[in-house]
Amino acid sequence: MKRNIKKLIFRWEFALALILLLEIIVFGRLNPRFLKPRVLFGSINDFVSICIISLFVTFVLITGGMDIQAGSIVGLTSISIGVLWNDFGVNIWVACILGLLIGALSGAFSGFLIAFTDVQPMVVTLGGSFLYSGLAMVVSNLSEVEAYKGISGFPQAFLAITKGRINGIIPFQFLMFVALSFLAYFLLHRTKYGRKIFLCGVNRKAAEYCGIHTRKVVMSTYMLSGMSAALAGIILTSYLGTAKTDLGKELTMPIITAVVLGGTSNLGGKGTILGTALASLVIGILRFGLSMSGVNTQYLDIPVGALLIVSVAIRSVSSNDRLVSFIKHRFKRSYQKT
Amino acid sequence: AQDITVVFVPKLTGNAFFESANVGAQEFAKDWGFTVKYDGSPEASVANQVTVINNAINQGMDALCVSSVDATGLDDVMREAMAAGLVVTTWDSDVSGDARSIMVSQGTPEQLGKMLVDMLAESLTNRGKNVKEDEIKYCWHYSQATVADQNSWHVAGEAYIAENYPNWVNVAPDNYYSEQDAEKAITVGEAVLSAHPDLDGVICNDSTALPGQAQAAQNLGKTKEDISITGFAAPNSMKDYCRAGVLERWGLWDCQIQGALGCYMAYYLASGNEVKVGDVIDVPGIGEVEVHPNTVLDANAYTADDSGVVLLPERTVFTIDNMDNYDF
Amino acid sequence: MVISNPAHSEKPTVSARSIHKSFGSNEVLKGIDIDLYPGEVLALVGGNGAGKSTLMKILMGIYQADSGRLFVDGVETKINKPSIALANGIYLVPQEPMLFPNMSVEENIIIGFNENKAELRNRLKDTIQTLGWELDLKRKALTLSIAEQQLVEILRGLMRKSKLLIFDEPTSSLTFNEVEALFTMINLLRQQGLSIIYITHRLNEVFQIADRVVIMSDGLITLNAPVEEVNHEILVRGLLPTNIEYQENKICSIDINRECKPIFEVNQLTGYGFSNISFKVYLGEILGIAGIVGAGRTELVTSIFGKDDIINGKVILDGEDITGLSTHEVMSKGLSYVPEDRFLNGMFRISSVAENTTASSVDSLGHIALNKKREKEITNYFIDTFRTRVTGCEQEMGSLSGGNQQKVVIGRSITTKPKLLILDEPTRGIDAAARADVYAIINKLRQDGMAILIISSDMEEIVELSDRVLTMYSGQIVAEFNREDVNHDSLMAAAFGIVGGKV
Amino acid sequence: MNVANNGKQSKLKRTLNKLLHARELTSIIFLVLMFAVVGIINSNFLSVSNLTLSLNSSVVYTIVAIGIALVIITGEIDVSVGATLGMAASISATMVRDGSPTWLAFSAAILVGALIGLINGIGVSILKVPSIIMTLGVNSIVRGLIYVYTDGKWVENLPFDFKTISQSKLPGTGITLIYFSVIVIAIIVHLFLNRTQRGKYFAAVGDNEGGATLLGIPVNATRLSAYVICGVFSAIGGVLYASRVGFVTPISGNGYEMKVIAACVLGGVSMAGGVGTVIGASIGSLIMASISRVLVFIGLSSDYDNTITGCLLIIIVVFDAVMQRRNAVTARHERLRARTGNVNLGGIK
Ligand SMILES: Nc1ncnc2c1ncn2[C@@H]1O[C@H](COP(=O)(O)OP(=O)(O)OP(=O)(O)O)[C@@H](O)[C@H]1O
Ligand SMILES: Nc1ncnc2c1ncn2[C@@H]1O[C@H](COP(=O)(O)OP(=O)(O)OP(=O)(O)O)[C@@H](O)[C@H]1O
Ligand SMILES: [Mg+2]
Ligand SMILES: [Mg+2]
């Protein structure tokens, strides 16, 4: 029992949860409005796409891959839904399903290239990020609405999926995030499929020798992250009430940041959904809290970057025996001197 | 009302146009006695603006003055802000009429499109072209197909050309884009000039594209005698090129006044005053402005008593003669 | 402090005093004292996980001892990184090759030297010539087999003009003649006054090369004696854990019915690296394949396993044609393979022992959700039957000693209950006790009716285990022996392509 | 023995062989192919003046790509180069605008670049923060600091002298002195990496860190210096950017990290470390820098900009990877085939 607690305390997720708590306390003191449940929970509306996508980009990173195209898929999905609904008269819900399909296909295409030709994932998804944002432009040209205008006027029911709040406090987006976190957790940590993802990430060759279809597994993770990006595209379209080609273009770096801060190794084989979920909240709440405390949006990158470096540095230094013993040694010596 | 804070939201920070507007707003607000909080994200995106506006609501600010990156994408959050008791105005780039009270506009797309074309026509005339009869080859070079106002000027400008100068030929009907990347603006600019050696003019309705295009011409050793480049950019960023004889004229409106006025309207309403369409308001230090119905910008616009447009400031064409009178 | 030993006139090159080292709560070295004298070859033997590699890594500065002192030429020296060890003339040929995969063999060997390049090249060519090894210096290291990598590592060591040269199981993948050549070289170095540590699990090598034997067990030195004072018997006894009865592991031959249909049949198989291979394996039979490094045995079985193209011929498993199927399909038809390169193809370093054990049989662990209870059962079963030394089934695979890792990998391969099990160098790097365990396991498996194909570079092993032996040479089968005819010499001759006195 | 065989080969043949098998060749072929196709569509593209312009305008990409290639070769990554470039550009631009001599502005920029590189390097090699995290964090911070430093304003009206630095031509050619110097730098770095003991450490560290440590190669120092050099080169890129563009915005260099990484990969630098040359990276930069120019000449709508950039990138890397793999497999098969049945290949001599 005691050992279990000790184990828990030394887990990275625990540290993240502490940071989150600390943020809430500190920002609550700086600006009491921050603590209003409606405000605090409502803040997730503005970064839920990062949370959702990073859950599934975690899968990709665990296989040892990299996904910097998710942001472009958000825009592609959004504009596709808009064009399908506006110009092709497709029912909005059918359009959403088609949107998910488009996301899945986009992810699968990059995933296919990565898995079957062994080109470095970062490069393929970099190409993908150009390609899909370009395709979004092409799709928007199919519409009679000019690209810059954005397609709006969606049915009320569609807009409502992101407007509702439970008890007027907890927004639907938060529930979606929680539900998706559970789904991702189950998939990654509780299923055979999830196990295969880890095995592929630790040693893909050995996984091959174990009879695992590593190509399918690797490809599927990109498909999943593509679908999650599509979902984020749907949510953003509904939330903003407009379908645009460039939605999500600024998400790439925050997504990767959330995933790696969550403890996922970019070398593959390591990572947890809980970590990613917490990290995405830590970053989102940090940005929100700083804004609430009056920090100008354009300076928010500084504290976020600092948090990223400092927390990961502390973690890696404290897990590095050599450095720790060196520091202890130093400390002891200076302690003895005084 | 005491201690009113207006949150002044640009499309993006770090852009000369918006930074100048902020300078103007801050200076005037000091005299007028309220606080302007300039808050925006370095990346122009709807989602980022929504975040900034939500933060303003949550912080309990009094008023908003927004230049929207999207014509409709901010509607919901703007309405939410109104419901939360904030005064919501826009400037430079509008949202739906019912999602804000006052818009401070630099003019309609038609006016601005016409201005761009007129500046080009004048430059061409000054170097001896017959704009009514010669086959004038021209193209547009700006930031991106997704940027709302620049595109609306382009569309209006094209319509104006079709009507008045049917003899002109657009060598690239799909336009050239440089994505607000200054270096790309030069590369694209150079490529445009090399790919079309017989080009007569380039319209750069983007404040990054214009200096880039001018620099490109300079790199290729072209001057205003070889090619007519014009567009919208802050005077400071173009003075050198104008002196070097690379371009003859370009334009903009006084964005400092515009920013200040937008914030003033927000402040005015937040102090408890009411404004109706047709009112004339005396703005200290600037002068009298009239509130027009929304239909001055768009014939099909939403009309209501409490939603109107202020048309100011006047647009200015800069040339070697007057540019030193402006410092922004 | 100057350390001297009455038995030696000279001062020791390197000495270690009361070295302690723990990884977490696992105390690996519990006070090691050791002296290394010039011109002496010290054989270091000990079970898997005894701490041999750890001690060597401490000498090399890769790990730091928790406490204890190191002396070089009698002067206390802090060796806290490899460059210091190198500067002090200490060089370690590591247990697992650590080459630069994208560099050529030559670059791999000469990098890090400050000598004149041309001279270095000549010296390298001379060394290779002396050894008589077959190595293309222009090849990229990533195309080398594990055995070839070991050759390169050894060459690196021989090229160094060091005072203390450490070989950590350098010959685990090598066959007779490479080992012979290495020994000639070591003798040469010994005459030049080098001090050499030679770690091995092959006890007969100890008597071939060593001047002194040191046995390590559980982090302590339990025996330190001149080689003349020990014999095979003493060594074996000294190596075995005290609580385990040593049983001379004679594989009892069981009756194999070669009349009925073979479980596995290869017909005129030709692929890359081998040609015209035909053989049959019967139920309960152990078929050994002997050969020297590069004979094409690994290529043969990996091609069967779906890892490379088959040009011609047929592979039949239990009546089904499995020629050219993918690895996944081949496995599901009932074939398992334990790869020779454990690091590259066999293990998941940062995964737990449990995850490693069940990696081949993930699909049978529940429907969609992973049945962790079942996983634990399976893992514990294998830990118990294989006597794997782990702290628990959650221990990270990479922190196991080599032998224990190998046991986990073998365990994994039978979780799928295969009809035919192919073991490629199954006891590479495994200690005597573990080897006995593995043999016992193999024996049990075949008694349960599994057919087994063993590839090994260790002729003794082939002789001891196989019911029937094939020898391969240059990609072809050159001889077949029945159990009764198998002996070391005939195998050796066949392995070099000499059958019946002619080449 | 093979050693002997190699010795017999004439030196010329060997050099030729080496050139033919160099990875850079693929990149050059693609470059030539791309230029040829565009030239067929629009012959203006192949004019001497346009070709020299293409070279000249790739200068910023090239210098940054050389820097980042060093880091990638050691097996790490640096996504802060864009921010470093922006910072260096802002600093040098404000200084020359406010009247400092160019050399001083240049030195200050380089100092800042080196400092950022040093911070990255310390984080990665000493604190052992994974490089993607470290540089992502530094990227955010430096981006934010640019806003603090410039107050979000553009730096405009740079003196004419400063702008002409990037424009002065090598006598008798259309090539700018700057581009020429960058190519000289590329060659020097190339020689350093391939001909010197120390230079080879970079690839060794990226290829196998453990192995490098074991051989006493100063892994940390090598990585650290790779980052510092990368920071310095990014800063040089920043100054060149400022001089070329003539004004500096706070978003200068945004997204350059991805473009130069793409350039490196196009030039055959492996993201896994250990493989690649700066010459390749320079060629890749030329391809990357030419894409937007090419599109103008093809006359395709700029709406297709990203689509085509993406397709080109994917096609080139996939094609290259498939070819490389095929070659490796063929080579392996040939070697194995040569072994079968060759009775002389036994180990004993
Ligand atoms: N990096 C490490 N972290 C944790 N434990 C380790 C580490 N390296 C080795 N160990 C543990 O130390 C013990 C000794 O390992 P070592 O590799 O020294 O054994 P060895 O004598 O070389 O065995 P083998 O003959 O199998 O190579 C083992 O129990 C192993 O699990
Ligand atoms: N990735 C690769 N690329 C090219 N060649 C390779 C590659 N991997 C292995 N090889 C070749 O395969 C051979 C395999 O190793 P090895 O010399 O051990 O032969 P083998 O058939 O396994 O011999 P043994 O009979 O000892 O198993 C190597 O000699 C090497 O030529
Ligand atoms: Mg060992
Ligand atoms: Mg083999």
Side-chain angles (χ1 to χ4, degrees), chain C residues 99 102 113 125 308 473-474, chain D residues 3 197 207-208 215 332 341 343:
Chain C
L99 301 182
N102 288 301
F113 280 88
K125 277 174 200 169
D308 205 346
Y473 177 70
S474 281
Chain D
V3 188
Q197 187 70 244
D207 219 0
N208 181 351
L215 291 178
R332 171 163 182 266
V343 192

Side-chain angles (χ1 to χ4, degrees), chain C residues 52-53 95 168-169 402:
Chain C
K52 305 179 296 291
S53 299
Q95 184 169 11
D168 195 349
E169 288 186 50

Side-chain angles (χ1 to χ4, degrees), chain A residues 205, chain C residues 139-140 142-148 173 175 273 289-301 340 424-425 455-457 472, chain D residues 328-329 331-333 335-336 339:
Chain A
K205 277 200 170 141
Chain C
R139 254 171 83 183
K140 272 196 179 176
L142 64 96
T143 68
L144 299 178
S145 76
I146 186 83
E148 288 164 320
S173 301
T175 38
I289 303 185
I292 51 167
V293 168
R297 299 164 299 171
T298 301
E299 278 74 20
L300 169 65
V301 288
E340 71 176 332
D424 200 345
E425 311 283 357
I455 297 174
S456 178
S457 300
M472 268 179 84
Chain D
V329 169
R332 171 163 182 266
H333 283 172
R335 186 161 51 239
L336 288 173
R339 233 165 44 176

